[in-house]
Amino acid sequence: EAIVTSEELGQDLEHVEVLQKKFEEFQTDLAAHEERVNEVNQFAGKLIQEQHPEEELIKSKQDEVNASWQRLKGLALQRQGKLFGAAEVQRFNRDVDETISWIKEKGQLMASDDFGRDLASVQALLRKHEGLERDLAALEDKVKALCAEADRLQQSHPINASQIQVKREELIANWEQIRTLAAERHARLNDSYRLQRFLADFRDLTSWVTEMKALINADELANDVAGAEALLDRHQEHKGEIDAHEDSFKSADESGQSLLAAGHYASDEVKEKLTILSDERSALLELWELRRQQYEQCMDLQLFYRDTEQVDNWMSKQEAFLLNEDLGDSLDSVEALLKKHEDFEKSLSAQEEKIT
């Protein structure tokens, strides 16, 4: 009876399970003695049936044994119920403690001040954080289930209601805290991603501008018309590539302006990069225009040289014609020479238009 009337219900789940195991051993022993009680009843009945002279005493002892037996079984049933209830409460406590421990472990990860140093590291941190958020989404069902279990246990175990409520509130407080941490970290990582995306675009564009400047400055001025034409064609191709990057410049500018409008923590750096990007683009266009003028001037010069050479060659040939002393020795020959001279004058007139 000392076992079944014990008020010890354990300090934690492991302790309760030890008490339950001891109680199961007691129940096995109790079941083994039930046959002995039955034998006592059978023997008492036999004695009474035989009208034993101590019949009244026998009946009294029999009733006493049966009452004690039923009392013991009743107390055992109550003890079993109490231990089962204690196990439920302690199992709830353990599940809440384990859940809070997991939440705090993840909370330390989310409290990190590492938001990435470049685009690749930010993207890796975002993927890791999204994995944590998926874990939280899965945990939400468990938190809800534990809160529902707390409500049930408070109804079924009113004596432990206040302690269960404390655990419930502790769980909810930790859950709300980690959800807030997760949302804040996701927002900071998104801010960092937008910044690193802008800075990566900035680096790509400024690097491309440097390469394009070097390319535009690389060609020497041509020494003939064909070379000058090739230079102008190639220079126009460079303009096509510059025009093709206009959307990239526009997109980078819009990204930067969006960061400024949102009051991003790196607004000063963004503003500086936007100014540099605009200046670099303007400098590239100015360089292209300067080289275009130089190439066109080179083209004009080479055309002048070509035309001058052609005129010089023509005049050299015509000078020999003019120095000819042949004035004809007959009417026909004179007329033929006149015809040639008229052709020369027409040619001279055409050349004069070209020269002037």
Side-chain angles (χ1 to χ4, degrees):
E1 190 167 319
I3 294 174
V4 294
T5 56
S6 172
E7 294 297 325
E8 186 180 18
L9 296 175
Q11 301 301 314
D12 52 38
L13 184 60
E14 289 73 18
H15 191 188
V16 174
E17 287 173 345
V18 169
L19 293 176
Q20 283 182 315
K21 190 172 188 307
K22 287 182 179 179
F23 185 72
E24 287 170 3
E25 293 172 356
F26 164 77
Q27 284 182 309
T28 300
D29 188 45
L30 188 66
H33 281 78
E34 188 166 12
E35 182 63 28
R36 178 61 179 156
V37 172
N38 290 336
E39 287 176 359
V40 168
N41 280 317
Q42 288 175 3
F43 188 58
K46 180 173 179 295
L47 291 175
I48 292 170
Q49 188 176 9
E50 291 174 352
Q51 296 181 346
H52 192 281
E54 299 292 338
E55 180 178 343
E56 291 301 321
L57 180 60
I58 292 170
K59 283 183 180 181
S60 174
K61 287 291 183 182
Q62 182 183 20
D63 290 342
E64 184 179 333
V65 167
N66 285 330
S68 295
W69 179 250
Q70 291 303 320
R71 169 179 164 75
L72 185 61
K73 287 176 69 176
L75 290 172
L77 194 61
Q78 290 178 20
R79 176 67 175 165
Q80 184 181 35
K82 287 180 179 180
L83 286 173
F84 178 78
E88 280 192 316
V89 172
Q90 294 299 343
R91 190 173 292 110
F92 166 78
N93 288 339
R94 182 201 62 185
D95 290 347
V96 169
D97 288 341
E98 287 179 351
T99 302
I100 290 175
S101 176
W102 185 92
I103 287 173
K104 288 182 176 179
E105 178 186 339
K106 301 304 178 185
Q108 289 178 351
L109 296 175
M110 292 185 185
S112 169
D113 58 358
D114 181 10
F115 299 105
R117 299 167 302 282
D118 51 40
L119 189 59
S121 61
V122 174
Q123 288 173 324
L125 287 173
L126 268 172
R127 286 192 295 271
K128 184 177 180 180
H129 186 73
E130 286 165 359
L132 288 174
E133 288 183 321
R134 286 192 292 273
D135 290 343
L136 284 184
L139 184 67
E140 185 172 10
D141 291 338
K142 184 174 183 180
V143 172
K144 289 179 178 178
L146 285 172
C147 287
E149 178 70 357
D151 294 338
R152 185 187 71 81
L153 290 174
Q154 283 179 297
Q155 294 293 324
S156 59
H157 304 290
I159 193 171
N160 300 111
S162 59
Q163 179 266 323
I164 294 169
Q165 182 61 21
V166 169
K167 278 290 182 186
R168 184 179 189 277
E169 290 173 357
E170 184 183 1
L171 174 63
I172 292 173
N174 278 273
W175 174 244
E176 293 298 335
Q177 182 182 21
I178 198 170
R179 287 181 63 187
T180 300
L181 275 175
E184 290 175 351
R185 180 161 178 79
H186 203 155
R188 286 295 301 274
L189 284 172
N190 278 335
D191 285 345
S192 180
Y193 173 78
R194 291 170 63 203
L195 174 64
Q196 295 302 333
R197 176 75 270 173
F198 168 76
L199 292 178
D201 290 343
F202 167 81
R203 287 189 294 269
D204 289 345
L205 286 171
T206 51
S207 176
W208 173 82
V209 167
T210 301
E211 292 174 3
M212 186 56 63
K213 284 180 178 179
L215 200 58
I216 291 173
N217 279 321
D219 291 323
E220 297 290 338
L221 295 178
N223 295 317
D224 53 42
V225 173
E229 287 178 343
L231 278 178
L232 280 170
D233 288 343
R234 191 155 53 249
H235 195 60
Q236 197 58 44
E237 289 175 2
H238 295 333
K239 185 60 165 63
E241 188 172 351
I242 292 172
D243 291 342
H245 277 74
E246 277 301 302
D247 285 345
S248 297
F249 278 100
K250 182 180 179 182
S251 177
D253 184 71
E254 288 175 350
S255 297
Q257 295 298 340
S258 175
L259 291 172
L260 294 179
H264 196 278
Y265 62 84
S267 291
D268 290 343
E269 181 182 5
V270 172
K271 192 179 298 183
E272 178 188 355
K273 300 299 186 189
L274 283 174
T275 301
I276 293 173
L277 200 58
S278 177
D279 291 346
E280 287 289 306
R281 176 180 172 277
S282 297
L284 177 62
L285 291 173
E286 289 172 5
L287 175 62
W288 185 89
E289 179 60 24
L290 175 64
R291 293 295 280 176
R292 182 192 66 78
Q293 293 173 6
Q294 292 174 345
Y295 290 151
E296 287 186 350
Q297 290 171 355
C298 177
M299 182 67 173
D300 291 341
L301 181 62
Q302 293 306 322
L303 286 172
F304 171 74
Y305 286 156
R306 184 194 66 181
D307 292 346
T308 301
E309 185 179 358
Q310 289 175 350
V311 170
D312 283 344
N313 291 336
W314 179 84
M315 286 192 296
S316 296
K317 291 178 182 178
Q318 298 309 316
E319 187 175 351
F321 169 74
L322 292 172
L323 292 174
N324 191 345
E325 296 294 334
D326 183 13
L327 298 177
D329 54 7
S330 64
L331 181 61
D332 289 339
S333 62
V334 172
E335 287 178 349
L337 288 172
L338 283 170
K339 179 70 172 61
K340 285 183 179 180
H341 195 76
E342 288 173 0
D343 291 342
F344 163 74
E345 288 180 336
K346 289 179 181 177
S347 177
L348 181 62
S349 177
Q351 291 297 329
E352 186 176 6
E353 290 179 5
K354 183 182 291 186
I355 292 171
T356 56

